[in-house]
Amino acid sequence: MSNTTPTSYATVPLPAGFPADVTLPKFVVELGERFADAGYELALVGGPVRDMFLGSSVTDLDFTTDAVPETIQQILTGWAHAQWDIGAAFGTIGARYGDWTVEITTYRDEQYDPDSRKPEVVFGTELLEDLRRRDFTVNAMALRLPDFELVDPFGGIKALVAGVLSTPGTPQQSFSDDPLRMMRAARFAAQLGVTVSDDVAAAMTDMAQRIEIISAERVREELVKLMIADTPRRGLDLLVASGIADVVLPELPAMRQASDATHRHKDVYEHSLQVMENAIEREAHYVEAPNFVLRFAALMHDIGKPKTRRFEPNGKVTFRHHDVVGAKLVAKRMRELRFDKGSTKAVARLVELHMRFYGYGEGEWTDSAVRRYVTDAGDLVAHLHALTRSDVTTQNKRKARRLATAYDDLESRIEQLAEEEELAAIRPDLDGKQIMELLDIKPGPLVGRAYNYLLNLRLDEGPADVEATKAALLAWWADQPEAQQPNDDA
């Protein structure tokens, strides 16, 4: 499957019923003829067929056939520019034609043992049975090649038109075969804007705990796809309503428990979804879109509130240090879902910093405050801009305008200082080697303390000449207890 739009080749039109502007590369027909000449069936299947009916450009080419993997490889030899058999155990052979990547899979049936995370694969011989085992009717359609005969035995087109997600067989059987399909239902709700049928929703609720047998890596991949979809709120609401979120992302439904109509503070769950949607609207202005890190940080920015909620004697509710607590919680959750270290660190840092703007009030920003804000955010400063602005969900228009103006001022101060100083790479005016030489000390924690002192000095007062920095460091050193010790002990 290709993650980028491949170079175009000669194309062929599709039969009546498909959008007129949707085409396929001509080599798809040639591939179908190649399988037919060898005595086998070949059909374009699943997502590509669905997307063509929706009028979307086709960038992924997934095929199914009655040929077994070894035969697929023989048929591809001399046609494909490269091929690989990494998925052969599951019936899938990959190939490259130009810069297109295709996957061809033997008709199959697979299901999970109740206590196993790995599917048992059985190859099949009939297209109908292969389609029957697929997750949802909108994905259980095929185009037989080379003649483009549509095969839609379970009403996939009708489901697309109705905007309802249903399964070819019973949802209980589908989700028992692969419980991850319950998360895929939420993802398709977010991607395609569909709703799930009543029986699918009921099965998701009844079988929510079954998701526990799925590996963290597979859950993570579905969660990422959901989050970068057009309307992730639809999928997230479905995960929460069904109870699946209680298993895979329990911090999300927990935010509903932090809401309290009696004490009249905002609904934390609804607020978090609104912040996420605000961030989606803003992201293209600040960062590359769609941006998982920004969206997930926006969704999870207040997950520390349930653990930090306190009822004060005056009737108010407080969530002191929920930013710090939330950063730890989101990092823990992302590690359990096997996210990479970079993404985990970035999301946690944004959650930790999302209140930083409010700590400075709404007055004019000093140079020192601006430097610290940019330095603490590092290469996430654009993400932090988008998150902080998105966190304003007040219905008080006067307050919203005041906060927007204050943040406008902050961004203006950052731009102004950036022209004068290299904000993105602020360092002390002396490096570690110079510090050790000046103070006559050896490598160790003391060097780090001296370095941090100079960094704070740089943030507070801006750049200085080397001699002034040396004088300041010596004055600081004179007050340190280590300055009175022999050098050998320093």
mmCIF file of all heavy atoms in Angstrom, residues 150-197:
data_model
loop_
_atom_site.group_PDB
_atom_site.id
_atom_site.type_symbol
_atom_site.label_atom_id
_atom_site.label_comp_id
_atom_site.label_asym_id
_atom_site.label_seq_id
_atom_site.Cartn_x
_atom_site.Cartn_y
_atom_site.Cartn_z
ATOM 1 N N LEU A 150 -18.509 -5.463 -11.142
ATOM 2 C CA LEU A 150 -18.699 -5.129 -9.732
ATOM 3 C C LEU A 150 -19.310 -6.313 -8.993
ATOM 4 O O LEU A 150 -20.305 -6.886 -9.419
ATOM 5 C CB LEU A 150 -19.608 -3.910 -9.592
ATOM 6 C CG LEU A 150 -19.957 -3.506 -8.151
ATOM 7 C CD1 LEU A 150 -18.701 -3.058 -7.404
ATOM 8 C CD2 LEU A 150 -21.010 -2.407 -8.133
ATOM 9 N N VAL A 151 -18.721 -6.658 -7.865
ATOM 10 C CA VAL A 151 -19.239 -7.714 -7.001
ATOM 11 C C VAL A 151 -19.565 -7.080 -5.654
ATOM 12 O O VAL A 151 -18.659 -6.647 -4.926
ATOM 13 C CB VAL A 151 -18.215 -8.857 -6.824
ATOM 14 C CG1 VAL A 151 -18.808 -9.974 -5.967
ATOM 15 C CG2 VAL A 151 -17.769 -9.388 -8.181
ATOM 16 N N ASP A 152 -20.844 -6.994 -5.326
ATOM 17 C CA ASP A 152 -21.284 -6.323 -4.097
ATOM 18 C C ASP A 152 -22.397 -7.149 -3.448
ATOM 19 O O ASP A 152 -23.560 -6.746 -3.410
ATOM 20 C CB ASP A 152 -21.788 -4.910 -4.427
ATOM 21 C CG ASP A 152 -22.225 -4.135 -3.193
ATOM 22 O OD1 ASP A 152 -21.835 -4.521 -2.072
ATOM 23 O OD2 ASP A 152 -22.984 -3.151 -3.352
ATOM 24 N N PRO A 153 -22.060 -8.317 -2.925
ATOM 25 C CA PRO A 153 -23.092 -9.231 -2.435
ATOM 26 C C PRO A 153 -23.745 -8.803 -1.123
ATOM 27 O O PRO A 153 -24.812 -9.325 -0.767
ATOM 28 C CB PRO A 153 -22.326 -10.547 -2.255
ATOM 29 C CG PRO A 153 -20.918 -10.114 -1.972
ATOM 30 C CD PRO A 153 -20.705 -8.895 -2.813
ATOM 31 N N PHE A 154 -23.138 -7.860 -0.395
ATOM 32 C CA PHE A 154 -23.662 -7.526 0.926
ATOM 33 C C PHE A 154 -24.179 -6.084 1.024
ATOM 34 O O PHE A 154 -24.388 -5.564 2.120
ATOM 35 C CB PHE A 154 -22.590 -7.783 1.990
ATOM 36 C CG PHE A 154 -22.078 -9.191 1.968
ATOM 37 C CD1 PHE A 154 -20.822 -9.485 1.457
ATOM 38 C CD2 PHE A 154 -22.867 -10.241 2.424
ATOM 39 C CE1 PHE A 154 -20.357 -10.784 1.417
ATOM 40 C CE2 PHE A 154 -22.408 -11.552 2.394
ATOM 41 C CZ PHE A 154 -21.152 -11.825 1.881
ATOM 42 N N GLY A 155 -24.359 -5.451 -0.122
ATOM 43 C CA GLY A 155 -24.964 -4.122 -0.116
ATOM 44 C C GLY A 155 -24.046 -3.008 0.334
ATOM 45 O O GLY A 155 -24.485 -2.072 1.007
ATOM 46 N N GLY A 156 -22.786 -3.066 -0.067
ATOM 47 C CA GLY A 156 -21.837 -2.036 0.330
ATOM 48 C C GLY A 156 -22.175 -0.662 -0.223
ATOM 49 O O GLY A 156 -22.057 0.355 0.473
ATOM 50 N N ILE A 157 -22.609 -0.628 -1.502
ATOM 51 C CA ILE A 157 -22.959 0.662 -2.113
ATOM 52 C C ILE A 157 -24.158 1.269 -1.398
ATOM 53 O O ILE A 157 -24.185 2.478 -1.092
ATOM 54 C CB ILE A 157 -23.251 0.482 -3.612
ATOM 55 C CG1 ILE A 157 -21.990 0.031 -4.338
ATOM 56 C CG2 ILE A 157 -23.770 1.781 -4.215
ATOM 57 C CD1 ILE A 157 -22.203 -0.278 -5.804
ATOM 58 N N LYS A 158 -25.155 0.456 -1.117
ATOM 59 C CA LYS A 158 -26.336 0.936 -0.401
ATOM 60 C C LYS A 158 -25.945 1.490 0.969
ATOM 61 O O LYS A 158 -26.467 2.529 1.409
ATOM 62 C CB LYS A 158 -27.333 -0.209 -0.243
ATOM 63 C CG LYS A 158 -28.625 0.186 0.444
ATOM 64 C CD LYS A 158 -29.576 -0.999 0.539
ATOM 65 C CE LYS A 158 -30.876 -0.619 1.246
ATOM 66 N NZ LYS A 158 -31.802 -1.774 1.337
ATOM 67 N N ALA A 159 -25.008 0.831 1.638
ATOM 68 C CA ALA A 159 -24.555 1.293 2.950
ATOM 69 C C ALA A 159 -23.827 2.622 2.844
ATOM 70 O O ALA A 159 -23.983 3.499 3.706
ATOM 71 C CB ALA A 159 -23.656 0.240 3.595
ATOM 72 N N LEU A 160 -23.012 2.777 1.776
ATOM 73 C CA LEU A 160 -22.321 4.052 1.569
ATOM 74 C C LEU A 160 -23.301 5.187 1.362
ATOM 75 O O LEU A 160 -23.153 6.280 1.915
ATOM 76 C CB LEU A 160 -21.370 3.955 0.371
ATOM 77 C CG LEU A 160 -20.015 3.302 0.589
ATOM 78 C CD1 LEU A 160 -19.240 3.262 -0.729
ATOM 79 C CD2 LEU A 160 -19.204 4.053 1.640
ATOM 80 N N VAL A 161 -24.309 4.926 0.545
ATOM 81 C CA VAL A 161 -25.319 5.951 0.267
ATOM 82 C C VAL A 161 -26.069 6.313 1.553
ATOM 83 O O VAL A 161 -26.332 7.494 1.826
ATOM 84 C CB VAL A 161 -26.303 5.471 -0.817
ATOM 85 C CG1 VAL A 161 -27.453 6.461 -0.967
ATOM 86 C CG2 VAL A 161 -25.575 5.295 -2.142
ATOM 87 N N ALA A 162 -26.385 5.317 2.356
ATOM 88 C CA ALA A 162 -27.123 5.553 3.600
ATOM 89 C C ALA A 162 -26.237 6.124 4.696
ATOM 90 O O ALA A 162 -26.731 6.700 5.671
ATOM 91 C CB ALA A 162 -27.762 4.253 4.080
ATOM 92 N N GLY A 163 -24.908 5.958 4.534
ATOM 93 C CA GLY A 163 -23.990 6.439 5.559
ATOM 94 C C GLY A 163 -24.046 5.632 6.837
ATOM 95 O O GLY A 163 -23.885 6.168 7.931
ATOM 96 N N VAL A 164 -24.251 4.316 6.684
ATOM 97 C CA VAL A 164 -24.370 3.440 7.850
ATOM 98 C C VAL A 164 -23.345 2.313 7.733
ATOM 99 O O VAL A 164 -23.220 1.676 6.683
ATOM 100 C CB VAL A 164 -25.783 2.844 7.966
ATOM 101 C CG1 VAL A 164 -25.844 1.861 9.135
ATOM 102 C CG2 VAL A 164 -26.813 3.949 8.147
ATOM 103 N N LEU A 165 -22.650 2.067 8.814
ATOM 104 C CA LEU A 165 -21.632 1.014 8.847
ATOM 105 C C LEU A 165 -22.247 -0.256 9.411
ATOM 106 O O LEU A 165 -22.732 -0.285 10.543
ATOM 107 C CB LEU A 165 -20.456 1.467 9.716
ATOM 108 C CG LEU A 165 -19.098 0.808 9.479
ATOM 109 C CD1 LEU A 165 -18.587 1.125 8.072
ATOM 110 C CD2 LEU A 165 -18.093 1.287 10.513
ATOM 111 N N SER A 166 -22.237 -1.319 8.600
ATOM 112 C CA SER A 166 -22.765 -2.611 9.036
ATOM 113 C C SER A 166 -21.785 -3.698 8.619
ATOM 114 O O SER A 166 -20.833 -3.446 7.878
ATOM 115 C CB SER A 166 -24.147 -2.868 8.432
ATOM 116 O OG SER A 166 -24.086 -2.793 7.016
ATOM 117 N N THR A 167 -22.017 -4.922 9.072
ATOM 118 C CA THR A 167 -21.101 -6.027 8.793
ATOM 119 C C THR A 167 -21.738 -7.017 7.829
ATOM 120 O O THR A 167 -22.959 -7.167 7.796
ATOM 121 C CB THR A 167 -20.734 -6.749 10.101
ATOM 122 O OG1 THR A 167 -21.936 -7.146 10.775
ATOM 123 C CG2 THR A 167 -19.924 -5.841 11.006
ATOM 124 N N PRO A 168 -20.922 -7.738 7.035
ATOM 125 C CA PRO A 168 -21.485 -8.732 6.099
ATOM 126 C C PRO A 168 -22.260 -9.831 6.805
ATOM 127 O O PRO A 168 -23.325 -10.239 6.362
ATOM 128 C CB PRO A 168 -20.247 -9.288 5.393
ATOM 129 C CG PRO A 168 -19.231 -8.217 5.507
ATOM 130 C CD PRO A 168 -19.472 -7.579 6.842
ATOM 131 N N GLY A 169 -21.719 -10.330 7.910
ATOM 132 C CA GLY A 169 -22.426 -11.302 8.732
ATOM 133 C C GLY A 169 -22.897 -10.620 10.002
ATOM 134 O O GLY A 169 -23.189 -9.432 10.014
ATOM 135 N N THR A 170 -22.955 -11.346 11.093
ATOM 136 C CA THR A 170 -23.325 -10.715 12.357
ATOM 137 C C THR A 170 -22.121 -9.946 12.900
ATOM 138 O O THR A 170 -20.970 -10.395 12.757
ATOM 139 C CB THR A 170 -23.755 -11.754 13.399
ATOM 140 O OG1 THR A 170 -22.623 -12.574 13.751
ATOM 141 C CG2 THR A 170 -24.876 -12.631 12.859
ATOM 142 N N PRO A 171 -22.335 -8.806 13.525
ATOM 143 C CA PRO A 171 -21.196 -8.084 14.102
ATOM 144 C C PRO A 171 -20.509 -8.891 15.199
ATOM 145 O O PRO A 171 -19.287 -8.777 15.381
ATOM 146 C CB PRO A 171 -21.824 -6.793 14.642
ATOM 147 C CG PRO A 171 -23.280 -7.056 14.743
ATOM 148 C CD PRO A 171 -23.598 -8.066 13.682
ATOM 149 N N GLN A 172 -21.249 -9.711 15.909
ATOM 150 C CA GLN A 172 -20.621 -10.534 16.951
ATOM 151 C C GLN A 172 -19.571 -11.467 16.347
ATOM 152 O O GLN A 172 -18.472 -11.625 16.897
ATOM 153 C CB GLN A 172 -21.691 -11.351 17.696
ATOM 154 C CG GLN A 172 -22.604 -10.537 18.590
ATOM 155 C CD GLN A 172 -23.727 -9.843 17.840
ATOM 156 O OE1 GLN A 172 -23.879 -10.019 16.627
ATOM 157 N NE2 GLN A 172 -24.527 -9.067 18.572
ATOM 158 N N GLN A 173 -19.905 -12.082 15.204
ATOM 159 C CA GLN A 173 -18.947 -12.974 14.558
ATOM 160 C C GLN A 173 -17.763 -12.189 14.015
ATOM 161 O O GLN A 173 -16.607 -12.589 14.145
ATOM 162 C CB GLN A 173 -19.619 -13.749 13.425
ATOM 163 C CG GLN A 173 -18.692 -14.747 12.735
ATOM 164 C CD GLN A 173 -18.159 -15.802 13.675
ATOM 165 O OE1 GLN A 173 -18.936 -16.475 14.355
ATOM 166 N NE2 GLN A 173 -16.840 -15.964 13.725
ATOM 167 N N SER A 174 -18.049 -11.031 13.402
ATOM 168 C CA SER A 174 -16.988 -10.201 12.838
ATOM 169 C C SER A 174 -16.014 -9.751 13.913
ATOM 170 O O SER A 174 -14.797 -9.846 13.750
ATOM 171 C CB SER A 174 -17.587 -8.984 12.130
ATOM 172 O OG SER A 174 -16.575 -8.177 11.563
ATOM 173 N N PHE A 175 -16.536 -9.272 15.045
ATOM 174 C CA PHE A 175 -15.675 -8.753 16.098
ATOM 175 C C PHE A 175 -14.999 -9.876 16.880
ATOM 176 O O PHE A 175 -13.938 -9.680 17.470
ATOM 177 C CB PHE A 175 -16.477 -7.860 17.046
ATOM 178 C CG PHE A 175 -17.091 -6.654 16.366
ATOM 179 C CD1 PHE A 175 -18.203 -6.028 16.906
ATOM 180 C CD2 PHE A 175 -16.553 -6.160 15.191
ATOM 181 C CE1 PHE A 175 -18.767 -4.921 16.287
ATOM 182 C CE2 PHE A 175 -17.113 -5.060 14.556
ATOM 183 C CZ PHE A 175 -18.222 -4.438 15.107
ATOM 184 N N SER A 176 -15.609 -11.052 16.880
ATOM 185 C CA SER A 176 -14.952 -12.193 17.502
ATOM 186 C C SER A 176 -13.762 -12.631 16.662
ATOM 187 O O SER A 176 -12.707 -12.990 17.189
ATOM 188 C CB SER A 176 -15.943 -13.346 17.655
ATOM 189 O OG SER A 176 -15.320 -14.467 18.260
ATOM 190 N N ASP A 177 -13.922 -12.594 15.313
ATOM 191 C CA ASP A 177 -12.825 -12.959 14.422
ATOM 192 C C ASP A 177 -11.632 -12.021 14.611
ATOM 193 O O ASP A 177 -10.483 -12.461 14.615
ATOM 194 C CB ASP A 177 -13.283 -12.907 12.969
ATOM 195 C CG ASP A 177 -14.191 -14.076 12.603
ATOM 196 O OD1 ASP A 177 -14.268 -15.025 13.402
ATOM 197 O OD2 ASP A 177 -14.821 -14.018 11.536
ATOM 198 N N ASP A 178 -11.913 -10.723 14.741
ATOM 199 C CA ASP A 178 -10.844 -9.749 14.953
ATOM 200 C C ASP A 178 -11.412 -8.579 15.745
ATOM 201 O O ASP A 178 -12.057 -7.693 15.185
ATOM 202 C CB ASP A 178 -10.272 -9.259 13.621
ATOM 203 C CG ASP A 178 -9.061 -8.348 13.813
ATOM 204 O OD1 ASP A 178 -8.753 -8.002 14.975
ATOM 205 O OD2 ASP A 178 -8.435 -7.968 12.811
ATOM 206 N N PRO A 179 -11.184 -8.541 17.047
ATOM 207 C CA PRO A 179 -11.747 -7.479 17.887
ATOM 208 C C PRO A 179 -11.289 -6.076 17.495
ATOM 209 O O PRO A 179 -11.968 -5.097 17.834
ATOM 210 C CB PRO A 179 -11.256 -7.842 19.289
ATOM 211 C CG PRO A 179 -11.038 -9.317 19.236
ATOM 212 C CD PRO A 179 -10.519 -9.583 17.858
ATOM 213 N N LEU A 180 -10.159 -5.975 16.791
ATOM 214 C CA LEU A 180 -9.706 -4.642 16.378
ATOM 215 C C LEU A 180 -10.731 -3.977 15.458
ATOM 216 O O LEU A 180 -10.745 -2.755 15.311
ATOM 217 C CB LEU A 180 -8.354 -4.735 15.670
ATOM 218 C CG LEU A 180 -7.679 -3.386 15.367
ATOM 219 C CD1 LEU A 180 -7.256 -2.700 16.653
ATOM 220 C CD2 LEU A 180 -6.481 -3.563 14.441
ATOM 221 N N ARG A 181 -11.603 -4.768 14.847
ATOM 222 C CA ARG A 181 -12.617 -4.202 13.962
ATOM 223 C C ARG A 181 -13.541 -3.236 14.695
ATOM 224 O O ARG A 181 -14.130 -2.352 14.075
ATOM 225 C CB ARG A 181 -13.423 -5.336 13.313
ATOM 226 C CG ARG A 181 -12.610 -6.135 12.302
ATOM 227 C CD ARG A 181 -13.368 -7.347 11.794
ATOM 228 N NE ARG A 181 -12.635 -8.006 10.709
ATOM 229 C CZ ARG A 181 -13.026 -9.110 10.097
ATOM 230 N NH1 ARG A 181 -14.169 -9.690 10.471
ATOM 231 N NH2 ARG A 181 -12.303 -9.627 9.123
ATOM 232 N N MET A 182 -13.653 -3.394 16.004
ATOM 233 C CA MET A 182 -14.470 -2.453 16.765
ATOM 234 C C MET A 182 -13.829 -1.068 16.750
ATOM 235 O O MET A 182 -14.524 -0.050 16.649
ATOM 236 C CB MET A 182 -14.663 -2.954 18.194
ATOM 237 C CG MET A 182 -15.472 -4.247 18.278
ATOM 238 S SD MET A 182 -15.845 -4.752 19.979
ATOM 239 C CE MET A 182 -14.225 -5.306 20.536
ATOM 240 N N MET A 183 -12.510 -1.025 16.843
ATOM 241 C CA MET A 183 -11.825 0.262 16.739
ATOM 242 C C MET A 183 -11.857 0.779 15.304
ATOM 243 O O MET A 183 -11.918 1.986 15.068
ATOM 244 C CB MET A 183 -10.387 0.147 17.231
ATOM 245 C CG MET A 183 -10.261 0.061 18.741
ATOM 246 S SD MET A 183 -8.601 0.474 19.325
ATOM 247 C CE MET A 183 -8.500 2.227 18.936
ATOM 248 N N ARG A 184 -11.830 -0.133 14.342
ATOM 249 C CA ARG A 184 -11.939 0.281 12.948
ATOM 250 C C ARG A 184 -13.300 0.914 12.674
ATOM 251 O O ARG A 184 -13.418 1.842 11.872
ATOM 252 C CB ARG A 184 -11.710 -0.919 12.024
ATOM 253 C CG ARG A 184 -10.247 -1.323 11.906
ATOM 254 C CD ARG A 184 -10.082 -2.655 11.200
ATOM 255 N NE ARG A 184 -10.571 -2.629 9.831
ATOM 256 C CZ ARG A 184 -9.875 -2.214 8.772
ATOM 257 N NH1 ARG A 184 -8.653 -1.742 8.949
ATOM 258 N NH2 ARG A 184 -10.379 -2.260 7.559
ATOM 259 N N ALA A 185 -14.337 0.424 13.356
ATOM 260 C CA ALA A 185 -15.654 1.029 13.210
ATOM 261 C C ALA A 185 -15.614 2.489 13.643
ATOM 262 O O ALA A 185 -16.167 3.376 12.970
ATOM 263 C CB ALA A 185 -16.685 0.260 14.035
ATOM 264 N N ALA A 186 -14.944 2.754 14.760
ATOM 265 C CA ALA A 186 -14.809 4.131 15.235
ATOM 266 C C ALA A 186 -13.970 4.950 14.268
ATOM 267 O O ALA A 186 -14.276 6.120 13.993
ATOM 268 C CB ALA A 186 -14.179 4.142 16.628
ATOM 269 N N ARG A 187 -12.920 4.327 13.738
ATOM 270 C CA ARG A 187 -12.080 5.048 12.781
ATOM 271 C C ARG A 187 -12.840 5.403 11.510
ATOM 272 O O ARG A 187 -12.741 6.519 10.993
ATOM 273 C CB ARG A 187 -10.850 4.210 12.443
ATOM 274 C CG ARG A 187 -9.796 4.991 11.667
ATOM 275 C CD ARG A 187 -9.556 4.443 10.292
ATOM 276 N NE ARG A 187 -8.963 3.124 10.317
ATOM 277 C CZ ARG A 187 -8.632 2.469 9.223
ATOM 278 N NH1 ARG A 187 -8.844 3.010 8.032
ATOM 279 N NH2 ARG A 187 -8.128 1.242 9.291
ATOM 280 N N PHE A 188 -13.635 4.460 10.997
ATOM 281 C CA PHE A 188 -14.409 4.755 9.785
ATOM 282 C C PHE A 188 -15.476 5.807 10.055
ATOM 283 O O PHE A 188 -15.812 6.601 9.169
ATOM 284 C CB PHE A 188 -15.039 3.479 9.224
ATOM 285 C CG PHE A 188 -14.053 2.581 8.533
ATOM 286 C CD1 PHE A 188 -13.974 1.233 8.843
ATOM 287 C CD2 PHE A 188 -13.195 3.089 7.577
ATOM 288 C CE1 PHE A 188 -13.052 0.407 8.209
ATOM 289 C CE2 PHE A 188 -12.275 2.267 6.932
ATOM 290 C CZ PHE A 188 -12.198 0.924 7.246
ATOM 291 N N ALA A 189 -16.032 5.820 11.258
ATOM 292 C CA ALA A 189 -16.974 6.883 11.607
ATOM 293 C C ALA A 189 -16.288 8.241 11.505
ATOM 294 O O ALA A 189 -16.881 9.218 11.032
ATOM 295 C CB ALA A 189 -17.517 6.661 13.017
ATOM 296 N N ALA A 190 -15.023 8.293 11.930
ATOM 297 C CA ALA A 190 -14.267 9.541 11.870
ATOM 298 C C ALA A 190 -13.816 9.875 10.447
ATOM 299 O O ALA A 190 -13.817 11.035 10.034
ATOM 300 C CB ALA A 190 -13.047 9.446 12.793
ATOM 301 N N GLN A 191 -13.435 8.860 9.678
ATOM 302 C CA GLN A 191 -12.919 9.071 8.322
ATOM 303 C C GLN A 191 -14.025 9.349 7.309
ATOM 304 O O GLN A 191 -13.904 10.260 6.480
ATOM 305 C CB GLN A 191 -12.137 7.839 7.862
ATOM 306 C CG GLN A 191 -10.713 7.774 8.352
ATOM 307 C CD GLN A 191 -9.973 6.598 7.736
ATOM 308 O OE1 GLN A 191 -10.574 5.641 7.240
ATOM 309 N NE2 GLN A 191 -8.657 6.645 7.764
ATOM 310 N N LEU A 192 -15.072 8.550 7.363
ATOM 311 C CA LEU A 192 -16.094 8.582 6.328
ATOM 312 C C LEU A 192 -17.337 9.373 6.740
ATOM 313 O O LEU A 192 -18.215 9.613 5.902
ATOM 314 C CB LEU A 192 -16.514 7.156 5.954
ATOM 315 C CG LEU A 192 -15.386 6.202 5.539
ATOM 316 C CD1 LEU A 192 -15.949 4.816 5.262
ATOM 317 C CD2 LEU A 192 -14.628 6.736 4.330
ATOM 318 N N GLY A 193 -17.422 9.732 8.005
ATOM 319 C CA GLY A 193 -18.587 10.458 8.466
ATOM 320 C C GLY A 193 -19.833 9.614 8.565
ATOM 321 O O GLY A 193 -20.954 10.128 8.525
ATOM 322 N N VAL A 194 -19.671 8.297 8.700
ATOM 323 C CA VAL A 194 -20.815 7.391 8.779
ATOM 324 C C VAL A 194 -21.191 7.159 10.236
ATOM 325 O O VAL A 194 -20.417 7.454 11.155
ATOM 326 C CB VAL A 194 -20.500 6.044 8.099
ATOM 327 C CG1 VAL A 194 -20.231 6.241 6.611
ATOM 328 C CG2 VAL A 194 -19.296 5.368 8.769
ATOM 329 N N THR A 195 -22.381 6.613 10.424
ATOM 330 C CA THR A 195 -22.789 6.143 11.743
ATOM 331 C C THR A 195 -22.772 4.620 11.731
ATOM 332 O O THR A 195 -22.831 4.001 10.665
ATOM 333 C CB THR A 195 -24.205 6.632 12.091
ATOM 334 O OG1 THR A 195 -25.125 6.157 11.088
ATOM 335 C CG2 THR A 195 -24.256 8.149 12.131
ATOM 336 N N VAL A 196 -22.695 4.022 12.895
ATOM 337 C CA VAL A 196 -22.717 2.562 12.951
ATOM 338 C C VAL A 196 -24.157 2.110 13.141
ATOM 339 O O VAL A 196 -24.973 2.803 13.758
ATOM 340 C CB VAL A 196 -21.829 2.014 14.086
ATOM 341 C CG1 VAL A 196 -20.383 2.416 13.855
ATOM 342 C CG2 VAL A 196 -22.312 2.478 15.448
ATOM 343 N N SER A 197 -24.484 0.953 12.596
ATOM 344 C CA SER A 197 -25.831 0.411 12.741
ATOM 345 C C SER A 197 -26.088 0.077 14.207
ATOM 346 O O SER A 197 -25.157 -0.075 15.006
ATOM 347 C CB SER A 197 -25.994 -0.832 11.872
ATOM 348 O OG SER A 197 -25.128 -1.872 12.328
#
